[in-house]
Amino acid sequence: MNTIKQTKSTTLKLYNLKSLPIRTFWITAISFFLCFFAWFGIVPFMPDVVKDLGLTPDQKWNSIILAVSGTVFARLLIGKLCDKYGPRLCYTWLLMLGAIPVILCGLVQTPTQFLVCRLFIGFIGASFVITQVHTSLMFAPNIVGTANATSAGWGNLGGGANRLGMPLIAAAVVGFGVAEGEAWRYSMVIAGIVCFIMGIIYYFFTQDTPEGNFKELRESGIKVGKKKDQVGFGTVLKDYRTWILFVVYAACFGIELTVYGTMDDYLQNTFQLERVTAGNIVLSFALMNIFARTLGGFFGDKFGKLKGLRGRVLFLAAILAVQGVMLMTFSATTSIVVGFIFLILFSLSVQMAEGATFSVVPFINKKAIGSVSGIVGAGGNVGAFLAAMLLKSQSAVAEKAAIAANEGLGEAAVNAAQSAAASAAVSSGYFIIGVVVVVTAIVSLAIRFSTEDEKVAEMDSNVNEEDLIPINI
């Protein structure tokens, strides 16, 4: 049995493709990007889908809610599966099976079929958890926060890039003679096929850990997760810190999803922007994932070096509070210039908060990183679901009242009143959400670590590459 030096990476040199952790970083980030691209791929085509399938307003809202609801259960399950079978097999199967509802979405003929596909497409949102688990297994504590945040940020970018990418795919399809009204169907089929192919690539070009795959390690006599070291899912569920981070992630990623999904209409109704202009602003909001989430993980690591694990928590609480204040302030603005400034500040802070959250997650329970990541990741979708329900309920009531009050005054008057009512209702909802985020930031300060945890994290963070022990594989 040969002995080679293959350890967790202590640096994030993205150009060093000879390094297994770096190759894994790129493949897992690209897989995450493609999953989010496909997950929200239908969004740019919703006007076409509504017209083609005859969706009612309620069915349109329900499709949004179902898309994030399915992810909750998938993320809770996938974390435990990663701990048992390893991230490589979990990602392979998620990509290949998740491609099926994406492809079928392009073949639906009824609203019910569309809603069912949207529910199951949401399962590929669990890709986030696998990416976080895989980078946590590949990178050392001194850099894991930055690695997690960067891979997640670039993966999240897929949820915004589809606004540009999907129409381009549709344009290419139309160029081959397909009718414009059918282009959205072909685009979804293509997105699904790409995800399926990526699943094959993931299987052949990654491995679970620097030491090897879980299965091969066990077959060679190296036990992965000895029974005495295994932590039951129940133990993770009983750890209050897991649930605080669940709420924290609901307050950052969940709110980003909701704001991203409602901002187009809000900008049009509040500032009378054209749909294309509003869409481009929201796209720029999503594109900040290229660097903003990385900053959250980077500063989480820096505060970790200065103040230990407590420093990571303090930074998380601070940036989360800033996020809440920025959203509250944005909700009260009536100037597009001032509003744009605070929207950018909100975007920066919310994505940094997401990165900061997962600079803390790997230290909650190192023997069950997958389970913790799954639960915390599910919190993001629960937050999105609750926030969407809040905005839907407020907006629906306000719009119905406006329509009733202006009935008989002409279509233009009714539409104007409906837009104004929707703007006011969503603005109020944003403010309420901002307050909840600030309260969550205060609650996050309750996360504590033992003295032993602090010492272990300090030793791991200060380790030099030459001090690492070679591994038998």
Side-chain angles (χ1 to χ4, degrees):
M1 186 176 293
N2 295 325
T3 299
I4 65 172
K5 192 171 184 178
Q6 187 69 278
T7 62
K8 287 188 176 184
S9 177
T10 57
T11 60
L12 188 60
K13 297 178 180 178
L14 299 178
Y15 55 83
N16 184 19
L17 297 181
K18 292 182 179 180
S19 166
L20 173 64
I22 297 301
R23 289 202 309 274
T24 301
F25 171 90
W26 278 111
I27 293 175
T28 197
I30 292 171
S31 298
F32 186 13
F33 177 94
L34 292 175
C35 283
F36 266 51
F37 189 93
W39 184 12
F40 296 105
I42 199 66
V43 173
F45 301 125
M46 280 309 293
D48 296 320
V49 175
V50 170
K51 182 179 179 180
D52 193 350
L53 300 180
L55 298 182
T56 65
D58 278 342
Q59 288 172 330
K60 179 181 176 180
W61 266 103
N62 288 339
S63 73
I64 296 173
I65 294 171
L66 285 172
V68 298
S69 300
T71 314
V72 175
F73 304 104
R75 288 187 173 186
L76 287 171
L77 176 63
I78 206 71
K80 184 61 177 175
L81 292 177
C82 281
D83 285 337
K84 185 174 183 179
Y85 299 106
R88 171 174 161 267
L89 286 179
C90 288
Y91 229 142
T92 297
W93 283 108
L94 181 70
L95 284 161
M96 296 176 73
L97 294 178
I100 296 175
V102 177
I103 293 172
L104 290 178
C105 188
L107 305 177
V108 298
Q109 300 298 323
T110 68
T112 300
Q113 292 173 352
F114 177 71
L115 293 176
V116 172
C117 284
R118 286 287 278 163
L119 173 65
F120 285 102
I121 286 176
F123 282 26
I124 61 177
S127 56
F128 165 75
V129 175
I130 311 177
T131 290
Q132 297 300 279
V133 172
H134 216 163
T135 49
S136 293
L137 290 172
M138 287 290 177
F139 291 89
N142 69 307
I143 198 68
V144 69
T146 304
N148 277 352
T150 304
S151 61
W154 293 357
N156 273 352
L157 185 60
N162 58 26
R163 287 176 173 270
L164 178 63
M166 276 303 211
L168 287 177
I169 294 173
V173 168
V174 171
F176 281 98
V178 176
E180 289 190 16
E182 295 291 313
W184 69 270
R185 295 179 178 276
Y186 286 84
S187 299
M188 291 302 293
V189 171
I190 291 171
I193 292 173
V194 172
C195 285
F196 188 90
I197 294 173
M198 195 65 203
I200 298 173
I201 293 173
Y202 212 99
Y203 180 83
F204 286 105
F205 293 95
T206 67
Q207 65 183 45
D208 292 321
T209 72
E211 301 93 3
N213 293 316
F214 283 12
K215 182 180 180 181
E216 285 75 19
L217 289 174
R218 292 187 181 111
E219 289 177 349
S220 63
I222 301 175
K223 294 184 178 180
V224 179
K226 299 177 182 179
K227 288 188 176 181
K228 66 177 183 179
D229 292 332
Q230 288 179 349
V231 174
F233 193 61
T235 302
V236 175
L237 292 175
K238 293 175 183 178
D239 192 330
Y240 77 95
R241 298 172 301 177
T242 301
W243 293 107
I244 291 180
L245 289 174
F246 175 93
V247 176
V248 165
Y249 204 60
C252 52
F253 181 66
I255 302 312
E256 182 191 8
L257 281 181
T258 302
V259 171
Y260 175 78
T262 58
M263 187 55 63
D264 280 72
D265 289 340
Y266 181 76
L267 291 175
Q268 292 175 67
N269 293 332
T270 304
F271 303 110
Q272 289 72 54
L273 298 181
E274 296 293 331
R275 176 168 291 277
V276 173
T277 303
N280 288 336
I281 290 176
V282 176
L283 175 59
S284 66
F285 170 76
L287 290 176
M288 290 183 71
N289 273 296
I290 294 175
F291 66 91
R293 191 157 182 163
T294 299
L295 285 177
F298 174 79
F299 282 111
D301 287 339
K302 290 298 182 183
F303 274 79
K305 290 181 180 179
L306 291 173
K307 299 290 184 179
L309 297 179
R310 185 60 180 168
R312 293 176 183 268
V313 174
L314 291 175
F315 174 71
L316 171 59
I319 195 64
L320 194 63
V322 170
Q323 172 202 326
V325 172
M326 292 303 103
L327 184 57
M328 286 189 287
T329 307
F330 169 76
S331 71
T333 59
T334 55
S335 165
I336 181 58
V337 176
V338 176
F340 183 74
I341 291 172
F342 280 101
L343 181 59
I344 292 298
L345 292 175
F346 165 75
S347 175
L348 179 64
S349 57
V350 69
Q351 291 168 20
M352 286 181 68
E354 293 160 12
T357 301
F358 275 84
S359 77
V360 175
V361 165
F363 301 95
I364 296 298
N365 195 320
K366 292 187 176 183
K367 299 173 184 176
I369 293 176
S371 297
V372 176
S373 297
I375 294 172
V376 175
N381 291 85
V382 171
F385 173 80
L386 294 177
M389 291 299 292
L390 170 66
L391 296 181
K392 177 186 176 182
S393 61
Q394 287 202 317
S395 181
V397 171
E399 289 183 53
K400 288 179 181 178
I403 293 173
N406 291 272
E407 189 175 1
L409 298 181
E411 183 178 353
V414 171
N415 289 339
Q418 185 178 0
S419 295
S423 172
V426 174
S427 175
S428 174
Y430 284 165
F431 186 86
I432 293 171
I433 291 171
V435 172
V436 172
V437 172
V438 173
V439 172
T440 303
I442 297 172
V443 173
S444 69
L445 293 172
I447 297 175
R448 301 282 179 177
F449 291 92
S450 67
T451 303
E452 182 181 353
D453 288 337
E454 292 280 4
K455 289 181 179 179
V456 171
E458 183 179 3
M459 291 174 60
D460 289 342
S461 296
N462 293 330
V463 69
N464 296 315
E465 188 172 352
E466 58 268 21
D467 296 328
L468 295 172
I469 300 173
I471 296 169
N472 293 324
I473 62 173

